[in-house]
Amino acid sequence: MSIGQDAERVLQETSRTFAIPVAALPDPLRAPVMSFFLCLRGIDEIEDHTGLSAEAKRCLLGEISRALQAGRCTSSYLPLLRSHTELPEVARRIDEWAAMAPTSIAYRTWETLASMADHMAEWVGLRWRITNESDLDRYTFDVAGTVGLLLSDLWAWFDGSRTDRSLAVGFGRGLQTVNILQNRRQDLARGVDYFPPGWTEAQVRDYAVKNLAAGDRYVAGLAPGPVLDFCRVPLTLGWATLDILRSGRTKLTRGQLAALLGGLPPSVHRRQ
């Protein structure tokens, strides 16, 4: 199995939202986007892992950041990852995923990932303490708004697409807030509360709606093609998930997912 096929397998196993549109991207764009999301998912797994101490998480995230900043994404430069066998495959192989990025854009993706690893290490140290809306803004920017910015850079690298970067940040924030609402029970069980003190679920939903609306405007500004097709998938799923959360459920059924994808361009679900 080639590294590309292996990477696609791991992405399908770990990212329900993004595996579908990534697989549908044309060849020049698929590799850097897949590389980025696999690395991002690996970093997320370290941040959220319940079997690692805060110090171990900060150590690993710092090591990843230094490796990415140095451009030395090799197993020999990231020995701690390989030694933590309790980590899932997507996290242990971050060096391989990072190396998939084409050289002409690799350092831009590595720069973003290094910054995200540093910020996640900082949030681990803070025990994800959100004290007000400004903290929520900062957290959702650190872990998701920056994703929107990096993807905007990848679109420009691919075909010169020009996008509104402030809307890209809102798009990322909206999707992250949907995740916060969706995973509320599990997060509280591990002692993490992303809601500012005194905020209700309705207030957090309003925050998600405000930012997903930015995603609507971001997508409306894209020309027809693979970039638009890609962005429509997480946006559609984000709005749909927010709707089902209001009814007390947390996940879309397979039938609902198939119906939503069926309404998107053929390029999105051709590879499924």
Side-chain angles (χ1 to χ4, degrees), residues 128-150:
W128 303 277
R129 188 167 60 252
I130 305 290
T131 60
N132 50 43
E133 186 171 359
S134 293
D135 282 349
L136 182 60
D137 282 340
R138 186 163 68 92
Y139 176 75
T140 53
F141 176 83
D142 287 345
V143 302
T146 49
V147 175
L149 294 176
L150 187 277

Side-chain angles (χ1 to χ4, degrees), residues 141-179:
F141 176 83
D142 287 345
V143 302
T146 49
V147 175
L149 294 176
L150 187 277
L151 288 176
S152 289
D153 288 341
L154 287 176
W155 310 149
W157 168 82
F158 172 62
D159 64 4
S161 292
R162 298 178 65 85
T163 55
D164 186 317
R165 296 173 69 81
S166 65
L167 296 180
V169 171
F171 192 176
R173 277 186 168 136
L175 294 177
Q176 183 63 32
T177 309
V178 172
N179 286 341

